[in-house]
mmCIF file of all heavy atoms in Angstrom:
data_model
loop_
_atom_site.group_PDB
_atom_site.id
_atom_site.type_symbol
_atom_site.label_atom_id
_atom_site.label_comp_id
_atom_site.label_asym_id
_atom_site.label_seq_id
_atom_site.Cartn_x
_atom_site.Cartn_y
_atom_site.Cartn_z
ATOM 1 N N ARG B 76 -22.093 1.876 -1.516
ATOM 2 C CA ARG B 76 -23.236 1.080 -1.982
ATOM 3 C C ARG B 76 -23.786 1.654 -3.298
ATOM 4 O O ARG B 76 -23.637 2.884 -3.528
ATOM 5 C CB ARG B 76 -24.344 1.064 -0.936
ATOM 6 C CG ARG B 76 -24.003 0.311 0.347
ATOM 7 C CD ARG B 76 -25.181 0.352 1.314
ATOM 8 N NE ARG B 76 -25.523 1.698 1.686
ATOM 9 C CZ ARG B 76 -24.921 2.406 2.630
ATOM 10 N NH1 ARG B 76 -23.941 1.844 3.302
ATOM 11 N NH2 ARG B 76 -25.287 3.614 2.902
ATOM 12 N N ASP B 77 -24.437 0.816 -4.037
ATOM 13 C CA ASP B 77 -25.130 1.276 -5.286
ATOM 14 C C ASP B 77 -24.197 2.217 -6.067
ATOM 15 O O ASP B 77 -24.530 3.363 -6.340
ATOM 16 C CB ASP B 77 -26.430 2.032 -4.935
ATOM 17 C CG ASP B 77 -27.255 2.375 -6.123
ATOM 18 O OD1 ASP B 77 -27.125 1.684 -7.152
ATOM 19 O OD2 ASP B 77 -28.029 3.380 -6.024
ATOM 20 N N SER B 78 -23.028 1.705 -6.404
ATOM 21 C CA SER B 78 -22.029 2.550 -7.017
ATOM 22 C C SER B 78 -22.477 3.158 -8.341
ATOM 23 O O SER B 78 -23.240 2.555 -9.155
ATOM 24 C CB SER B 78 -20.764 1.748 -7.235
ATOM 25 O OG SER B 78 -21.019 0.567 -7.970
ATOM 26 N N LYS B 79 -22.018 4.369 -8.581
ATOM 27 C CA LYS B 79 -22.328 5.150 -9.773
ATOM 28 C C LYS B 79 -21.057 5.319 -10.632
ATOM 29 O O LYS B 79 -19.979 5.198 -10.121
ATOM 30 C CB LYS B 79 -22.854 6.528 -9.385
ATOM 31 C CG LYS B 79 -23.910 6.566 -8.317
ATOM 32 C CD LYS B 79 -25.186 6.019 -8.781
ATOM 33 C CE LYS B 79 -26.288 6.146 -7.735
ATOM 34 N NZ LYS B 79 -27.511 5.417 -8.113
ATOM 35 N N LEU B 80 -21.287 5.606 -11.902
ATOM 36 C CA LEU B 80 -20.141 5.835 -12.800
ATOM 37 C C LEU B 80 -19.296 6.941 -12.231
ATOM 38 O O LEU B 80 -18.067 6.946 -12.338
ATOM 39 C CB LEU B 80 -20.625 6.181 -14.187
ATOM 40 C CG LEU B 80 -21.365 5.089 -14.936
ATOM 41 C CD1 LEU B 80 -21.886 5.619 -16.300
ATOM 42 C CD2 LEU B 80 -20.428 3.874 -15.195
ATOM 43 N N SER B 81 -19.922 7.978 -11.625
ATOM 44 C CA SER B 81 -19.204 9.116 -11.094
ATOM 45 C C SER B 81 -18.398 8.782 -9.887
ATOM 46 O O SER B 81 -17.585 9.633 -9.399
ATOM 47 C CB SER B 81 -20.203 10.215 -10.760
ATOM 48 O OG SER B 81 -21.145 9.773 -9.855
ATOM 49 N N ASP B 82 -18.499 7.576 -9.319
ATOM 50 C CA ASP B 82 -17.669 7.160 -8.183
ATOM 51 C C ASP B 82 -16.265 6.752 -8.616
ATOM 52 O O ASP B 82 -15.382 6.589 -7.781
ATOM 53 C CB ASP B 82 -18.306 6.008 -7.429
ATOM 54 C CG ASP B 82 -19.621 6.417 -6.734
ATOM 55 O OD1 ASP B 82 -19.803 7.608 -6.423
ATOM 56 O OD2 ASP B 82 -20.477 5.529 -6.557
ATOM 57 N N SER B 83 -16.040 6.623 -9.926
ATOM 58 C CA SER B 83 -14.740 6.242 -10.433
ATOM 59 C C SER B 83 -13.715 7.307 -10.040
ATOM 60 O O SER B 83 -13.864 8.468 -10.386
ATOM 61 C CB SER B 83 -14.756 6.120 -11.962
ATOM 62 O OG SER B 83 -15.632 5.033 -12.343
ATOM 63 N N ALA B 84 -12.718 6.921 -9.313
ATOM 64 C CA ALA B 84 -11.683 7.805 -8.778
ATOM 65 C C ALA B 84 -10.686 7.011 -8.013
ATOM 66 O O ALA B 84 -10.820 5.749 -7.907
ATOM 67 C CB ALA B 84 -12.341 8.878 -7.847
ATOM 68 N N THR B 85 -9.714 7.689 -7.451
ATOM 69 C CA THR B 85 -8.772 7.073 -6.512
ATOM 70 C C THR B 85 -9.144 7.511 -5.110
ATOM 71 O O THR B 85 -9.383 8.698 -4.868
ATOM 72 C CB THR B 85 -7.304 7.498 -6.812
ATOM 73 O OG1 THR B 85 -6.970 6.982 -8.094
ATOM 74 C CG2 THR B 85 -6.363 6.921 -5.788
ATOM 75 N N TYR B 86 -9.237 6.584 -4.200
ATOM 76 C CA TYR B 86 -9.638 6.842 -2.822
ATOM 77 C C TYR B 86 -8.426 6.765 -1.895
ATOM 78 O O TYR B 86 -7.779 5.724 -1.862
ATOM 79 C CB TYR B 86 -10.762 5.908 -2.403
ATOM 80 C CG TYR B 86 -12.042 6.208 -3.162
ATOM 81 C CD1 TYR B 86 -12.240 5.729 -4.457
ATOM 82 C CD2 TYR B 86 -13.000 7.024 -2.616
ATOM 83 C CE1 TYR B 86 -13.412 6.045 -5.165
ATOM 84 C CE2 TYR B 86 -14.165 7.385 -3.323
ATOM 85 C CZ TYR B 86 -14.325 6.863 -4.585
ATOM 86 O OH TYR B 86 -15.444 7.185 -5.331
ATOM 87 N N LEU B 87 -8.176 7.846 -1.171
ATOM 88 C CA LEU B 87 -7.007 7.954 -0.344
ATOM 89 C C LEU B 87 -7.376 7.847 1.104
ATOM 90 O O LEU B 87 -8.288 8.556 1.604
ATOM 91 C CB LEU B 87 -6.310 9.261 -0.581
ATOM 92 C CG LEU B 87 -5.888 9.618 -2.006
ATOM 93 C CD1 LEU B 87 -5.455 11.087 -2.094
ATOM 94 C CD2 LEU B 87 -4.784 8.709 -2.457
ATOM 95 N N CYS B 88 -6.675 6.999 1.807
ATOM 96 C CA CYS B 88 -6.878 6.861 3.279
ATOM 97 C C CYS B 88 -5.888 7.840 3.963
ATOM 98 O O CYS B 88 -4.717 7.864 3.552
ATOM 99 C CB CYS B 88 -6.557 5.437 3.620
ATOM 100 S SG CYS B 88 -6.556 5.061 5.405
ATOM 101 N N VAL B 89 -6.349 8.598 4.968
ATOM 102 C CA VAL B 89 -5.507 9.589 5.584
ATOM 103 C C VAL B 89 -5.563 9.467 7.114
ATOM 104 O O VAL B 89 -6.676 9.263 7.639
ATOM 105 C CB VAL B 89 -5.963 10.986 5.188
ATOM 106 C CG1 VAL B 89 -5.093 12.045 5.830
ATOM 107 C CG2 VAL B 89 -5.938 11.155 3.687
ATOM 108 N N VAL B 90 -4.428 9.534 7.754
ATOM 109 C CA VAL B 90 -4.317 9.359 9.217
ATOM 110 C C VAL B 90 -3.578 10.556 9.743
ATOM 111 O O VAL B 90 -2.584 11.010 9.137
ATOM 112 C CB VAL B 90 -3.531 8.052 9.468
ATOM 113 C CG1 VAL B 90 -3.196 7.943 10.950
ATOM 114 C CG2 VAL B 90 -4.337 6.864 9.001
#
Side-chain angles (χ1 to χ4, degrees):
Chain B
R76 292 182 300 278
D77 187 24
S78 53
K79 312 291 185 190
L80 294 175
S81 58
D82 293 334
S83 296
T85 296
Y86 290 82
L87 304 170
C88 173
V89 181
V90 171

